[in-house]
Each structure stands twice: as structure tokens, then as C-alpha cells.
Amino acid sequence: MASQRPASWSDLLTQITSQFRILYTFEPINGIGLQIDTVFVPDLKLLTGILVIEDKLRQVSTTHSWGFLGLKGSDGETANEWNNVPNSGEGVIIANVDTGVSPISPSFRDDGSLPALSKSRWRGECEASPGCNIKLIGARLFNEGIKAMNKENGGVNGQQLNETDLNSPWDYVGHGTHTLSTAGGGFVANVGAFGHGTGTAKGGSPRAHVASYKACFVPGCSDLDILMAILTAVADGVQVLSLSLGAPATDYVSDMMAIGTAFAVTQEVVVVAAAGNSGPVAGSVTNVAPWMLTVGASTMDRIFPADVVTGAKTITGQSLSNSTLPANEPIAMISGENANSAGQSVANSVLCLPGSLDPAKVAGKIVVCKGARGRAAKGQVVKQAGGVGMVLCNDAASGASIITDPHIIPTAHCSYSQCQELFNYLQSTGSPMGYIKTRDAEVGVKPSPVMAAFSSRGPNTITPQILKPDITAPGVGVIAAVSQEVSPTGLVSDGRRVPYSVMTGTSMACPHVAGIAGLLRARYPKWGPPMIYSAIMTTATTEANDNTRIRDETGSAATPFSYGSGHVDPVRALDPGLVYDTTTHDYANFICSLRPTDTQGLLPVSLPLPLSILWTLLARVFHDTNSNPFECSHGANHPEDLNYPSISVACLPHSGSVVTVKRRVMNVGGGAASYTASIMQPAGVTVTVNPSTLVFDGENAEEEKHFTVTLQVHNAEEAAGYVFGSMEWSDGNHRVRSPIVATTKCV
């Protein structure tokens, strides 16, 4: 990317070598996607005004949920709140960048009830055959980056690309179809997964138009393809973009997805992104730029029970599989650690890794395996060794976070604590016996939601002054449409093909929030993306359905590093009262604030790339007609002053001094109102708000009021780690809540 567009990219590059290929031209951000030998990269970096970002591989972050969220009545009919939204998101265009789409899915059928969009409104294309319709209005393919990776390395991520997948906008993974139908799929009656959880499938905005931008394949997604897909979606007229993919967080200027989405937000496109599946490790959250709404994953109040019965003792896990046969008759059991084959370590066999199990020990038995990753693949290993069932046990880190999968053999996935009881039984007898009995779905489970162990956690390692994730939503055991070009487990040996199945991940949570954003865009068409983010964040709840705080996988109270502002509440989000509106000028000031000269050495951010290019690139994206975004004033901007719906302050002085952050809110509740602030104080820190009452006269539409929040340490020992509190504005009808995170650490 260039600070100024060169007259000819080819002439510029020929100064270095003639051996290059331009893959994409990124006109809105003065950039190109380039295939060139890595030996020339140092020379590229010496070109004046040129920023070089090397391509990297990202991974996708992989029914009843809308009832759990309050958008479906107990009789299965649409709730009144959904009816209050203009035609359930009709007229809004929602898209994803993912693994493609299955155009023949019933969730994308044209039922004749949606009006066609004008050519000025929708400027996209359909490259799929069979083609698109008035519901699924676009399907496009972006593969130049992944093909270049494949050519250079003889494969991608150790895998060879499938030519059919590579050259078609169709979905050969299943992920993209699932996420797009969750965000904007239409109403489809009598849908379930393998006969379980039957109900009406629907997306969050079931009458929205949807479009697919395929930039992801079985091995992963090239950043170049993702960037081109995002820029194309913006040009096509997309209004809500769902991004269920990510990579470890990096500085914004070296993050192509952050750069592309920055441009999207300036064009009034709402961007919702997955937080990642690397939890519960602290600091693992990805997609941390403040112009994206970042979504973690939690459970809903539905489970798919699978009982493991050993004598008089029963433990209950979850699964979408058959029961062991003969039904309710005990079968010999064996632990993976006692089933290792010759030449294989116990460390491998306890995880049921490929080739680790001895068929002579396993044949005809239920095998108990450890490990929460590669769940369906472990079942394949057991089956290949002659096993007839599997109990999948969490490790301590995964705790009580158990996941429903469409296993190929009878399976029960059980929590760490329950498996301790099972292991005690296996060790207590020389001939352990038991059976697996799966049952139909149960709803009304308490407590719900519970944070998923895999959901990536804060703090934000790039700018700790921006709390991430922003929100949590259902991401465990979600039923939605899938592609019948691939098996429900993704295993080659699995010959099953189904139109709907269950998936789990922050990938599934992300489109739930994208669908809700579509409802808000339909109801408030003049709202910009930050106003929609604010409405979703400030109305979220931190309580589970048993009136206790949301818990994590260990059973302990979760923190904003798990759920951000809380669990999404779409009904309350439709009437937020106040919103925090972040302008392009605010974002430009935020970029300026990242300069080390503005921080007196206190900002825990490393920006190794040329800062002048950082300012030029992102500040240009966040231009404002009333100001010069290139003029960063010294000492005037601080990252924690970004007008964001949450508050996060690092490097608090240990004593005496205070830190004051600035905020402003806009009245969107209509009419005159008076809001009073209340504070839940973080441990060791005193928080005050000035003024503590905001009075809106109601005469000016979208009137804004400014206030400050001051933090002062009164107990340095208590505030040495991260501490959490909250600020809430209330007028008696609305509650506008912001989490507060503080620490004396300079990470």
C-alpha cells in the first residue's frame, strides 16, 4: 500500500524485478495484492511511501437460539418484538466472507414474498450455478491469494487445494452456509439435526437479502482474498458484514482485515467479527480493532443429552449420535491410556490420536478418550480400531464446556468433573462395563448462558484501552443450514449428507449478532455502524437465566474479558435509549493517539512499522470533511478517550494521580429525558462520573451530552491485577450499561 497512488504500479515494481504478478488492485486504499519472490521483499520495503504487509493465512472460527434470545414465542410464533422490526430485516443486505454458500439450501429459497432490489441499491454479481435469486442475491469467489500461496509452497498449511473447491463459489466446507443462514436465512419449518431439536430454522434477519463472498477454503483463508472480498462487498452495496474468521491479533497497520474493515465502516457498513477459538487463554482474543464488533461464544439453554451408564451410576454429557447397541445393555469399556498400540505412547493413546489405539484391545468396546479438540476425528480413530462407542472427556482447562457434535459412532462428550468419576470407576474394576444412551433435546437448562471454554479471552493485546471481546452470543450447538457437498463432521469417511446440522464456535456466535445488526439497520436506517454497536453492547445482560452472574467453563463468575459488555439482548437493543456514536474523526484521533510521544512511555503498545505510514494509511481511511486527519496534535489524544461503549484503562497511577476519560452519549429514545449515573466500583479503584446526571430537552433530535469518568487507585494491592466494574445510565425505562476494566499494570 502507498501513501500516494503511483502513476503505474508496474513501472514502480520493475525498478526491482520484472518477475511479479499483480493479483488484485485495492483502489480505495491505494494498494495492490502482489505475487513476488520473498527475496525482493526487503527491496520493496525500501520504496518511499510504500507499506509492505506480507500475506498470512487465517482460519474460520468455527433454530432455538432465537427463542433463547427472546425473538420467538413459546408457541413457536414470532415474538412481538420481532414484529416491531420492519419486516424482520427486509431490505437490508447481509453478507459474509467465508467458505462459500450452498445456493440450493432451503434457507436461501425465493418464496416470492421479497421485493427485488434496484440496480442502484445492489451492484453485486452472482457467479454460482445454479444461480442466485431475490433472497440469495450474490455469490462471488476470491482465490488469487490462496492460489499464490499454494504455488509458492506446494500446498497450503500442509494440505493440497481441492480444485473444485478452489474454483467455485459453492461451499465445500459447510461453514459459510451455516454462518450465512444464521445471520439472514429465511423461515424453514420442521428443521432439526439428525431428528433432534426440531423447530423452525431462521436467521436473525429472516427477510434480509443475503450475499456470499468466498475467500476461505479447506486449508484456510488468504488475507489478500479476504481484503478484496471486503472491498468488493462494500462496492456492491452490502450493509452488514459477518466475518467468522481470524488470526492472532497484530498491529492494525499490519492487519489486512483491520484495514479493509476500517474502510467498510467509513462507508456505513456494519462489521461483526468472531473473537476466535483460542480460549480460555488470556489475551487470545482476535479482531480487536475498535471499528469491529467482536463476538465471543456462550451456551444457550438447550442441550442434547447423552448418558453414560455404569452400573447404578450415570453421568450426562452431550452428543448428536446414536445410542450403543443393543440398547441399554452394558458393553466393555477401556480408557485410551490402556489401549495404546505397539510403538505408540500413552500420551497419544489417551488422546485417541490417529494410529495410537490397538485394535486387539479396543474391538467391541467403548473407549474413553481425553481432549476437547478434534472431537469427531477421535471417534473415527476409535471406529477404525474396532471400537463401538466413545466417551470424550474434557481436560481441566475445558472444564464444564461440553459440545454437541454429529459423531459417527455412539458418543458422549462429558465435563472434566464428571469424567473424574468415570475414571475412578474404570480404575476400580478389572472389567468395566457401561453403555451410552442419547436422548432428545432438552430446553430450559440452567444456568444459561455459560461462557464456552474455547471462546477467546481479553485483554486486548494491541490496545488494552479497548475492551475486547465486545459481546457474547450463542455459539455452542447451533443448528443451521449446511452444504450437502460435505459431510456433517467434515471427515472423508463420513458418507452422510444433511441439509441442516449443528456447529460450534465463535463463528456461530458472530452471525447471531450480525443478524441482530440487520434488524437494527432496518429499524434505524440512518444509524451508522458505531451507533448499532453501542445499542447492542449497552443493552447486553451479565446475568444468566438463574439470576446469577454469567459463569465461565470452571463454574466461576465470568468477567468482561470473556463476555465484553455481556450477553446480547436483541429485544432491549431495539430501544437502547442512549448510544455512543463514534465518528470518523474520533477514529482518526484514536490512530493519532497510538504515537509513543503521546504516552510518556505508558502505552503498552508496540508499533514496529513506520508510524508515518500508519497515520497516513488509517487516518486517510478515517477522513473527516471538517478536519485534517493528518494533523495529529501532540499530547491531546489518548486511546482510552475513543468514544467507545466500554471503558478500559491500563497503567493507572498507584496513588495520588487520577486518570480521566472522555465520553459522550446521544439521546435516541425520543423526547425529553433525564439520565442518572450509577457505578459498580472496581476493587481498589474509585470511579466518579461528572456530571452524574444528563438532561436532554428533547427539542433537538439526537442531542448529545458530554461527560467524564475519573479513576483513582485507593488500594494499589487490590488494583494490581485487572479489576472490573461498570457504569450505568438510567432514566427509569432504559439502562445503558458500560463495563469498566482497570489495572495499574503497563502490560
Side-chain angles (χ1 to χ4, degrees):
M1 277 167 275
S3 55
Q4 292 184 347
R5 183 180 291 113
S8 168
W9 281 105
S10 294
D11 290 348
L12 181 68
L13 295 169
T14 304
Q15 299 175 27
I16 298 173
T17 178
S18 61
Q19 301 301 309
F20 63 85
R21 178 171 170 247
I22 296 177
L23 306 176
Y24 296 117
T25 300
F26 306 126
E27 290 288 349
I29 58 174
N30 287 358
I32 58 171
L34 180 68
Q35 184 178 7
I36 193 170
D37 195 300
T38 55
V39 72
F40 297 113
V41 170
D43 295 322
L44 288 175
K45 293 180 178 180
L46 294 176
L47 292 173
T48 303
I50 299 296
L51 173 65
V52 178
I53 306 174
E54 295 188 43
D55 195 10
K56 63 175 178 285
L57 195 69
R58 293 179 188 260
Q59 299 295 330
V60 293
S61 304
T62 190
T63 57
H64 168 77
S65 53
W66 297 111
F68 179 55
L69 291 175
L71 286 178
K72 189 180 76 171
S74 58
D75 57 357
E77 296 298 320
T78 306
N80 289 334
E81 289 80 3
W82 217 339
N83 287 334
N84 289 336
V85 181
N87 297 320
S88 299
E90 183 176 312
V92 174
I93 302 173
I94 299 177
N96 67 351
V97 176
D98 214 299
T99 63
V101 66
S102 175
I104 62 173
S105 170
S107 287
F108 307 126
R109 74 175 186 272
D110 180 4
D111 63 5
S113 66
L114 289 179
L117 295 172
S118 68
K119 291 184 178 180
S120 62
R121 179 67 191 82
W122 171 244
R123 302 174 292 277
E125 300 176 9
C126 184
E127 300 170 6
S129 179
C132 302
N133 54 47
I134 294 178
K135 174 64 177 176
L136 176 65
I137 57 175
R140 304 189 71 167
L141 172 68
F142 303 87
N143 61 9
E144 293 296 338
I146 200 82
K147 287 196 296 185
M149 279 188 177
N150 187 63
K151 183 177 180 180
E152 291 173 7
N153 304 313
V156 179
N157 207 19
Q159 302 179 62
Q160 290 296 316
L161 290 171
N162 178 288
E163 288 296 320
T164 303
D165 180 27
L166 179 63
N167 295 299
S168 170
W170 276 61
D171 185 5
Y172 290 88
V173 178
H175 190 274
T177 302
H178 198 282
T179 58
L180 191 60
S181 66
T182 300
F187 293 98
V188 184
N190 300 315
V191 166
F194 302 95
H196 298 273
T198 301
T200 299
K202 71 196 74 64
S205 290
R207 290 184 60 77
H209 304 277
V210 296
S212 166
Y213 293 79
K214 180 175 177 177
C216 297
F217 307 85
V218 172
C221 330
S222 157
D223 261 2
L224 291 176
D225 294 335
I226 293 169
L227 178 57
M228 193 64 198
I230 291 171
L231 298 179
T232 304
V234 173
D236 287 349
V238 167
Q239 294 170 292
V240 178
L241 196 55
S242 183
L243 302 174
S244 290
L245 42 91
T250 61
D251 292 324
Y252 305 134
V253 75
S254 61
D255 184 342
M256 289 194 212
M257 204 161 104
I259 294 169
T261 55
F263 175 74
V265 168
T266 67
Q267 304 305 301
E268 301 299 313
V269 178
V270 174
V271 178
V272 185
N277 295 342
S278 299
V281 178
S284 56
V285 64
T286 188
N287 295 325
V288 297
W291 45 87
M292 298 186 235
L293 189 63
T294 308
V295 188
S298 46
T299 66
M300 61 184 102
D301 68 340
R302 179 185 65 193
I303 63 171
F304 297 89
D307 298 327
V308 182
V309 182
T310 56
K313 182 68 176 178
T314 299
I315 64 173
T316 300
Q318 292 195 54
S319 182
L320 273 180
S321 71
N322 296 322
S323 303
T324 51
L325 296 173
N328 302 332
E329 290 191 15
I331 298 170
M333 303 181 72
I334 186 170
S335 171
E337 65 180 329
N338 296 324
N340 59 306
S341 59
Q344 287 287 332
S345 68
V346 170
N348 286 345
S349 65
V350 74
L351 297 173
C352 297
L353 299 181
S356 66
L357 301 180
D358 186 347
K361 300 174 182 176
V362 167
K365 297 178 182 177
I366 296 172
V367 183
V368 182
C369 306
K370 289 184 179 180
R373 300 193 184 272
R375 299 176 301 275
K378 294 179 190 293
Q380 180 179 1
V381 173
V382 171
K383 182 178 181 180
Q384 289 174 339
V388 297
M390 176 177 68
V391 180
L392 184 58
C393 285
N394 275 354
D395 55 21
S398 297
S401 185
I402 56 178
I403 295 170
T404 298
D405 290 301
H407 292 280
I408 60 174
I409 60 172
T411 298
H413 183 186
C414 299
S415 70
Y416 175 75
S417 61
Q418 287 191 313
C419 280
Q420 297 313 297
E421 300 178 22
L422 178 59
F423 284 123
N424 289 338
Y425 167 71
L426 294 177
Q427 295 168 3
S428 70
T429 175
S431 302
M433 304 285 287
Y435 61 89
I436 297 171
K437 181 180 180 180
T438 57
R439 297 182 273 130
D440 199 9
E442 293 181 5
V443 295
V445 174
K446 295 182 178 181
S448 298
V450 174
M451 292 307 304
F454 60 79
S455 187
S456 291
R457 306 298 208 262
N460 181 338
T461 57
I462 305 304
T463 41
Q465 297 85 351
I466 303 298
L467 174 63
K468 292 287 178 172
D470 293 306
I471 200 82
T472 188
V476 178
V478 177
I479 296 176
V482 293
S483 172
Q484 296 189 63
E485 300 299 318
V486 65
S487 72
T489 60
L491 299 172
V492 176
S493 62
D494 184 358
R496 298 173 297 176
R497 297 293 185 271
V498 293
Y500 291 85
S501 190
V502 64
M503 287 190 182
T504 288
T506 56
S507 281
M508 285 63 248
C510 171
H512 275 90
V513 177
I516 293 166
L519 297 179
L520 284 161
R521 176 51 65 89
R523 184 162 186 169
Y524 304 106
K526 294 183 179 180
W527 281 15
M531 296 173 73
I532 291 174
Y533 302 162
S534 177
I536 291 171
M537 292 169 64
T538 61
T539 57
T541 179
T542 58
E543 287 190 356
N545 59 359
D546 62 352
N547 298 318
T548 64
R549 288 178 60 186
I550 294 174
R551 302 171 194 177
D552 64 18
E553 68 285 348
T554 69
S556 301
T559 75
F561 283 160
S562 297
Y563 55 64
S565 295
H567 188 267
V568 65
D569 185 337
V571 175
R572 289 188 59 212
L574 292 169
D575 182 22
L578 303 176
V579 294
Y580 294 80
D581 185 20
T582 312
T583 66
T584 53
H585 185 57
D586 292 328
Y587 286 128
N589 280 334
F590 170 76
I591 297 303
C592 291
S593 75
L594 300 183
R595 294 185 307 174
T597 53
D598 283 349
T599 67
Q600 291 80 50
L602 296 180
L603 180 62
V605 175
S606 172
L607 293 173
L609 293 167
L611 294 180
S612 60
I613 299 177
L614 164 67
W615 304 332
T616 303
L617 176 64
L618 287 178
R620 183 200 296 113
V621 170
F622 291 121
H623 71 279
D624 190 298
T625 57
N626 297 319
S627 64
N628 185 344
F630 304 100
E631 294 182 358
C632 295
S633 55
H634 289 272
N637 304 302
H638 304 280
E640 60 267 28
D641 284 333
L642 181 69
N643 198 44
Y644 208 65
S646 58
I647 296 172
S648 181
V649 180
C651 299
L652 276 174
H654 283 74
S655 61
S657 301
V658 300
V659 172
T660 299
V661 299
K662 304 171 186 177
R663 289 293 187 273
R664 66 182 187 276
V665 287
M666 179 185 295
N667 180 21
V668 295
S674 178
Y675 283 83
T676 301
S678 60
I679 300 292
M680 187 180 80
Q681 299 287 351
V685 179
T686 299
V687 178
T688 56
V689 181
N690 184 36
S692 59
T693 299
L694 301 176
V695 179
F696 298 88
D697 58 27
E699 295 179 3
N700 300 316
E702 300 181 341
E703 180 184 3
E704 283 191 305
K705 295 289 184 181
H706 294 249
F707 64 94
T708 60
V709 181
T710 300
L711 298 89
Q712 183 174 27
V713 174
H714 65 78
N715 187 320
E717 185 176 350
E718 288 185 352
Y722 286 97
V723 291
F724 308 97
S726 64
M727 174 187 67
E728 183 175 287
W729 293 103
S730 178
D731 66 348
N733 296 315
H734 303 94
R735 300 194 314 275
V736 186
R737 182 183 176 279
S738 295
I740 298 173
V741 179
T743 182
T744 59
K745 292 181 180 179
C746 297
V747 182

